[in-house]
């Protein structure tokens, strides 16, 4: 029986020129990855000390335009420390979007804080400044000790927007609201390396931001993350507490607070340095595929998600908004059965058991998108 979505399957197969299984996003090691990893092995510096860590940090700072960058073992660890350094503590509240990968809420929870969910915008898929402003106007009050939720008496210590699939959210409006209410802005930029809002790199609008170099991200270090900030003191604190809070000394073990072993090993940073060199080619190739998708899906009943206005997106994962949940389920079944990987967007965080009791606003856009959005193959086509 011919599948209802055969034309889509055929198109994706022609775009990737293969009859084999097509993954959603595969890493591409087409530069100096092998050479740098071998260099680590030859030098024996494969672990927590080595020149590639410093170099990767410097190059990430340069690339994003942030003043400082601190490498971590993964993106979740980067978010955890970014939140902690933004002042998030036990029993605080942190506002974020319910439509996100679970790591955002996990990191909030590691600080002992509670996520509060506001809605997203349908066009950006990211945190809605209108929903945020509505929640704060109704519930928040500025005190000398910071912004407080009048209903719970808890401090609202941070706001964490996420740039979904690499598409920048309305980060300038969100930054203005953070300013107005005296709340720290921490961007979850895990998905948006290479994405810009009004010419400025995502992750540079708030106090701190986190990037991820997991295996499925735009560039990968196997596993890895990065905290970026313009604040020198915060950058120094980030480096200190992610490296067991060890006080520099030629041979003695002295640690001055409870720290974390969140260091990125040198061998992973070596991969990162090579991947950053290839990043412009990866982005160019990813945007070329997205342009082909946009052209193919124009005039069909499939709504291809394009970069929002004023933005330049990395198109990390290409996405479609389908007509309804039934259509989504049929689409997922057809493509996956045909060996063309497709996945639904995440379940809403407020529907997961551990976050189901959290406060939230009306989440109708998030719910609407959750039932309709799928990702389709997005790997760069370079060998
Ligand atoms: C990938 C990702 C992270 C961090 O993930 P790690 O796997 O820990 O590197 C955080 N938030 C979002 C939205 C992500 O997509």
């Amino acid at each position: 029986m011919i599948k209802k979505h055969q034309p889509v399957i055929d198109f994706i197969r022609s775009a990737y020129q293969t009859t084999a299984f097509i993954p959603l996003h595969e890493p591409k090691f087409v530069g100096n990855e092998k050479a740098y990893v071998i260099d680590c092995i030859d030098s024996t510096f494969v672990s927590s000390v080595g020149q590639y860590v410093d170099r990767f940090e410097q190059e990430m700072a340069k690339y994003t335009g942030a003043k400082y960058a601190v490498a971590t073992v993964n993106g979740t660890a980067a978010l955890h420390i970014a939140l902690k350094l933004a002042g998030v503590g036990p029993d605080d509240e942190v506002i974020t979007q319910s439509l996100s990968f679970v790591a955002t809420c996990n990191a909030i929870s590691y600080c002992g804080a509670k996520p509060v969910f506001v809605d997203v915008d349908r066009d950006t898929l990211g945190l809605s400044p209108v929903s945020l402003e509505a929640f704060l106007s109704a519930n928040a009050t500025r005190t000398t000790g910071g912004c407080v939720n009048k209903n719970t008496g808890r401090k609202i210590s941070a706001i964490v927007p996420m740039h979904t699939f690499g598409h920048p959210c309305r980060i300038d409006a969100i930054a203005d609201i953070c300013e107005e209410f005296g709340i720290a802005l921490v961007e979850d930029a895990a998905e948006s390396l290479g994405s810009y809002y009004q010419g400025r790199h995502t992750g540079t609008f708030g106090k701190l931001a986190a990037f991820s170099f997991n295996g499925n991200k735009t560039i990968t270090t196997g596993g890895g993350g990065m905290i970026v900030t313009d604040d020198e003191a915060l950058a120094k604190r980030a480096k200190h507490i992610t490296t067991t809070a060890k006080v520099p000394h030629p041979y003695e073990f002295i640690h001055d607070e409870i720290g974390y072993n969140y260091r990125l090993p040198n061998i992973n940073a070596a991969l990162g340095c090579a991947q950053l060199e290839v990043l412009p080619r990866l982005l160019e190739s990813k945007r070329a595929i997205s342009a082909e998708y946009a052209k193919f899906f124009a005039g069909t009943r499939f709504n291809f998600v394009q970069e929002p206005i004023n933005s330049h997106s990395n198109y990390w994962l290409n996405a479609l908004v389908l007509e309804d949940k039934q259509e989504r389920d049929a689409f997922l079944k057809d493509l996956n059965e045909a060996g063309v990987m497709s996945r639904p967007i995440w379940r809403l965080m407020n529907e997961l058991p551990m976050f189901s009791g959290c406060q939230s606003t009306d989440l109708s856009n998030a719910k609407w998108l959750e039932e309709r959005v799928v990702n389709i193959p997005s790997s760069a086509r370079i060998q």
Side-chain angles (χ1 to χ4, degrees):
M1 201 182 82
I2 191 109
K3 290 182 190 299
K4 183 180 169 197
H5 298 98
Q6 196 61 46
V8 177
I9 294 163
D10 291 344
F11 177 75
I12 297 175
R13 288 212 168 281
S14 74
Y16 280 96
Q17 293 280 303
T18 179
T19 53
F21 172 75
I22 304 178
L24 206 60
H25 200 282
E26 61 183 355
K28 297 284 172 182
F29 301 118
V30 295
N32 288 316
E33 288 84 358
K34 238 183 216 169
Y36 293 173
V37 167
I38 289 170
D39 183 38
C40 286
I41 293 170
D42 288 347
S43 71
T44 77
F45 283 96
V46 295
S47 190
S48 52
V49 177
Q51 53 152 359
Y52 287 108
V53 176
D54 298 338
R55 181 168 149 193
F56 189 35
E57 290 175 341
Q58 282 158 16
E59 285 172 5
M60 268 296 289
K62 199 166 121 200
Y63 185 84
T64 58
K67 282 205 180 116
Y68 308 95
V70 175
T72 58
V73 70
N74 57 52
T76 311
L79 263 178
H80 176 196
I81 299 306
L83 288 166
K84 193 177 157 71
L85 294 182
V88 177
D91 294 325
D92 286 358
E93 293 177 359
V94 174
I95 300 176
T96 190
Q97 58 202 64
S98 64
L99 192 68
S100 185
F101 179 58
V102 70
T104 322
C105 285
N106 282 342
I108 293 167
S109 307
Y110 300 162
C111 297
K114 294 260 179 292
V116 173
F117 301 112
V118 298
D119 209 2
V120 293
D121 286 324
R122 283 198 193 181
D123 57 345
T124 68
L125 315 177
L127 196 141
S128 160
V130 174
S131 177
L132 175 65
E133 171 101 62
F135 177 83
L136 290 171
S137 299
N139 301 291
T141 177
R142 267 192 96 151
T143 72
T144 47
C147 187
V148 171
N149 184 328
K150 288 182 282 194
N151 303 316
T152 60
R154 290 184 171 135
K155 188 177 168 198
I156 303 173
S157 49
I159 293 171
V160 190
M162 199 274 283
H163 305 289
T164 306
F165 304 144
H167 298 306
C169 63
R170 292 186 166 77
I171 192 65
D172 58 342
I174 293 167
D176 287 348
I177 297 168
C178 289
E179 186 77 27
E180 181 190 337
F181 284 88
I183 307 173
L185 173 58
V186 177
E187 288 174 82
D188 183 342
E191 306 184 352
S192 63
L193 182 65
S195 296
Y196 297 79
Y197 183 84
Q198 292 184 341
R200 190 161 147 198
H201 200 287
T202 53
T204 62
F205 289 80
K207 203 167 188 172
L208 301 125
F211 288 90
S212 167
F213 312 110
N214 189 36
N216 62 346
K217 293 291 183 348
T218 301
I219 65 166
T220 186
T221 58
M226 193 76 71
I227 301 164
V228 299
T229 182
D230 281 346
D231 185 317
E232 187 183 3
L234 288 179
K236 282 192 172 142
R237 291 268 310 135
K239 191 73 187 175
H240 188 59
I241 63 174
T242 54
T243 56
T244 70
K246 187 176 182 297
V247 180
H249 190 281
Y251 45 84
E252 269 208 81
F253 287 107
I254 310 164
H255 306 265
D256 60 0
E257 63 181 301
I258 293 174
Y260 299 82
N261 182 10
Y262 279 178
R263 291 178 279 216
L264 182 72
N266 198 45
I267 197 163
N268 300 83
L271 272 179
C273 290
Q275 288 267 279
L276 269 183
E277 292 169 357
V278 185
L279 179 58
R281 278 174 67 202
L282 291 170
L283 291 171
E284 194 187 340
S285 172
K286 287 170 68 60
R287 286 182 64 89
I289 296 155
S290 300
E292 288 172 29
Y293 277 142
K295 205 167 151 202
F296 174 77
F297 288 113
T300 69
R301 62 185 197 289
F302 305 98
N303 184 2
F304 180 72
V305 179
Q306 304 211 42
E307 63 193 354
I309 45 163
N310 297 326
S311 296
H312 182 90
S313 176
N314 65 5
Y315 283 93
W316 171 51
L317 287 186
N318 292 296
L320 292 170
V321 184
L322 303 180
E323 283 165 318
D324 53 30
K325 196 162 186 283
Q326 204 182 346
E327 169 67 28
R328 180 199 80 169
D329 292 342
F331 184 96
L332 289 169
K333 189 166 181 291
D334 272 6
L335 267 74
N336 285 298
E337 277 178 7
V340 175
M341 194 169 168
S342 178
R343 286 179 70 170
I345 198 167
W346 315 281
R347 290 281 172 88
L348 297 189
M349 288 302 110
N350 54 298
E351 291 179 5
L352 301 182
M354 57 286 193
F355 304 120
S356 63
C358 295
Q359 294 170 83
S360 70
T361 61
D362 170 75
L363 301 174
S364 44
N365 287 339
K367 190 68 197 165
W368 190 88
L369 290 165
E370 185 215 35
E371 291 177 346
R372 290 167 177 77
V373 175
V374 296
N375 293 121
I376 50 177
S378 306
S379 311
R381 289 174 302 196
I382 53 177
Q383 303 302 330

